[in-house]
Amino acid sequence: MSNPNFTGALYTYPWDLSDEGVDDALDRIIDLTGCTEIQLAPSYHVSNYFLPHSPLAPIRFGENGAIYYRPDLSRYEATELKPYVSPTVTTHDYFERLVDAIDRKGLVFSAWNVYFFNHQLTEKHPEFAKHDAFGMPYIGQISPSSKDAQEFAVALTQEIMDRFRPHAVRVEALQRQMWRHGMLKNKFQGDITERCQFLLGVCFNPASMRNAEEAGMDAENFRRDVDAWLRAELARIPSEDDLTMPADAEWLANSFDGRLRKYLDILNTHTTDLWLRVAEVIKRGGGKVQSDYLAHGVRTDTNGLEPRINKHIDRLTAGLPASDSDAGSHMQNYLEMIAPGGEVFVPVGPGNITEAAPLVERTRAAAEAGAAGALFYNYGLMREGVLRFVGEAMRSVP
């Protein structure tokens, strides 16, 4: 028997359940893994999949960003961005039936929700994509700066809370993405320095520029200066010194006569305000806000989320240090940084393993450090033997 005070949460795609037959799939999860929480994705990004126990086919080509329920489009009247529904959704109550079955089996449903990592919507609406300093829209990355993007994120969250009542919502990609996140089949030859990569990730979407103008910046002049700097740097072969120069706090503060720091602060304020707005929708709907992101330092400047989000995180996904002696103190530090009464779930894999021992060790270490549970990725991607390893790991927790 698994420890009832330590939760095993299993990431799952909707088609994993519907293709196998939802009752059969859930019975299999209960019997083999001992997990009691299903983290099911109502909104997901582009991927292709190896699904070793799928009864349809072991290879699946996914959509370029889709939702897995029939939306009420009246909820999205405040935005030009409308959800794209996956062809997987063959009935009006497709997702409802999955959630109802999870509840009927005595399991907990949590939503695994992807927001701004979306090729489908940015290809249709490049005006809402992140733009770099050259004016290039990044297909796959919605910019958090525009009113349309913000209203889309809020409407998506509100609909999920109202209709499906998840226990928790894992908030994924509700932020500015790193510069090449989501790029497919890259053809790069030659190194790009850390500082160039950082500047390529800064958003110059027209909405971002307007926000900066309203805050008193000459945003267009700043964009032109970043454009010119990047063109010169990217054109030449970087030296060894170039490759070791970090995009650290000092560089961010002083670059472009302090304008980079000012521009980032403006972007970060708007992105953080949106994240907090979405978090409030989740909490009002009775759900926990789950994040694998603690905001701090340069990480804030890379992704745009300020440390003020931390106290609104009810459930943090966080790894443990390699040393067992440090695990308990790390856990306590995490708990002090997030919302009062918050909890930590440790992602333990399983990864590409051929025996249970590594997973058992990681799962027990999470429990012994004081974690509320372990996260296992991902039901459809695991062979049956690995699903059994998950069960061994959960039963090993004292």
Side-chain angles (χ1 to χ4, degrees):
M1 290 290 293
S2 301
N3 184 335
N5 298 315
F6 184 79
T7 299
L10 185 65
Y11 288 114
T12 313
Y13 302 124
W15 55 85
D16 293 331
L17 304 183
S18 60
D19 287 355
E20 294 183 8
V22 61
D23 288 314
D24 289 344
L26 293 174
D27 286 342
R28 189 179 198 184
I29 288 169
I30 292 167
D31 292 344
L32 295 184
T33 73
C35 290
T36 56
E37 180 174 327
I38 305 298
Q39 298 223 336
L40 187 66
S43 173
Y44 204 64
H45 57 72
V46 62
S47 280
N48 298 316
Y49 308 88
F50 168 46
L51 306 172
H53 52 84
S54 169
L56 300 186
I59 303 298
R60 177 187 175 93
F61 295 96
E63 292 81 34
N64 286 342
I67 64 168
Y68 294 89
Y69 59 90
R70 297 284 184 195
D72 173 5
L73 290 177
S74 68
R75 293 174 177 267
Y76 301 87
E77 290 179 350
T79 173
E80 291 296 314
L81 292 166
K82 313 298 182 185
Y84 169 80
V85 181
S86 168
T88 302
V89 180
T90 54
T91 63
H92 73 280
D93 60 348
Y94 173 85
F95 203 81
E96 284 89 342
R97 293 172 71 176
L98 301 182
V99 173
D100 288 347
I102 291 169
D103 182 65
R104 190 174 66 249
K105 295 289 184 180
L107 301 169
V108 173
F109 161 64
S110 289
W112 171 19
N113 210 36
V114 177
Y115 289 89
F116 290 162
F117 180 18
N118 191 304
H119 287 68
Q120 192 82 238
L121 294 181
T122 48
E123 188 166 24
K124 185 176 181 180
H125 294 285
E127 69 271 25
F128 300 127
K130 187 191 82 178
H131 292 193
D132 64 20
F134 312 123
M136 176 67 66
Y138 279 39
I139 302 304
Q141 300 186 26
I142 299 174
S143 169
S145 295
S146 73
K147 182 178 184 297
D148 283 83
Q150 294 164 10
E151 294 305 321
F152 173 79
V154 171
L156 191 72
T157 309
Q158 190 69 66
E159 182 163 27
I160 288 167
M161 298 310 300
D162 290 346
R163 291 177 57 181
F164 308 124
R165 300 291 178 184
H167 173 71
V169 177
R170 182 192 172 191
V171 177
E172 182 175 336
L174 188 65
Q175 61 208 45
R176 187 169 71 252
Q177 308 298 296
M178 297 180 71
W179 81 276
R180 62 179 177 183
H181 185 241
M183 290 185 181
L184 308 176
K185 294 295 290 183
N186 300 328
K187 300 289 186 178
F188 299 160
Q189 184 166 295
D191 294 317
I192 299 177
T193 68
E194 183 179 334
R195 291 179 177 182
C196 285
Q197 290 189 47
F198 185 92
L199 289 175
L200 287 167
V202 176
C203 181
F204 290 93
N205 177 281
S208 298
M209 302 274 282
R210 284 194 299 272
N211 291 338
E213 293 282 352
E214 290 170 3
M217 278 194 75
D218 184 342
E220 177 56 25
N221 186 58
F222 173 61
R223 185 202 64 77
R224 285 197 300 264
D225 288 348
V226 175
D227 177 316
W229 190 92
L230 275 170
R231 287 182 191 275
E233 290 295 306
L234 292 170
R236 68 181 181 83
I237 298 173
S239 69
E240 290 297 322
D241 286 343
D242 293 330
L243 293 171
T244 60
M245 289 180 178
D248 57 14
E250 181 180 4
W251 180 75
L252 295 177
N254 296 323
S255 291
F256 301 93
D257 300 318
R259 288 177 296 160
L260 176 57
R261 175 73 274 158
K262 183 176 181 180
Y263 189 77
L264 289 171
D265 287 344
I266 295 164
L267 294 187
N268 297 348
T269 295
H270 286 271
T271 303
T272 303
D273 286 347
L274 171 60
W275 192 99
L276 292 172
R277 188 178 168 196
V278 167
E280 180 59 27
V281 171
I282 295 168
K283 291 173 185 285
R284 278 202 318 265
K288 296 182 178 183
V289 177
Q290 180 175 331
S291 175
D292 55 1
Y293 185 98
L294 269 175
H296 57 84
V298 173
R299 192 172 191 192
T300 286
D301 294 317
T302 302
N303 294 297
L305 293 174
E306 299 170 346
R308 57 195 170 105
I309 74 166
N310 293 343
K311 286 297 182 183
H312 298 268
I313 297 170
D314 303 303
R315 180 188 280 188
L316 177 67
T317 302
L320 295 175
S323 169
D324 290 342
S325 62
D326 295 334
S329 61
H330 268 74
M331 187 65 60
Q332 190 57 41
N333 288 339
Y334 290 145
L335 292 171
E336 290 172 359
M337 293 178 71
I338 64 176
E343 55 193 9
V344 175
F345 273 59
V346 176
V348 294
N352 187 18
I353 58 174
T354 57
E355 60 179 356
L359 189 60
V360 169
E361 181 181 355
R362 292 193 293 266
T363 304
R364 286 179 62 95
E368 290 165 2
L375 288 161
F376 298 94
Y377 185 93
N378 174 296
Y379 172 64
L381 305 180
M382 296 185 215
R383 292 183 167 99
E384 182 172 312
V386 179
L387 292 169
R388 294 182 184 279
F389 296 161
V390 173
E392 289 185 49
M394 286 302 299
R395 289 191 298 272
S396 77
V397 175

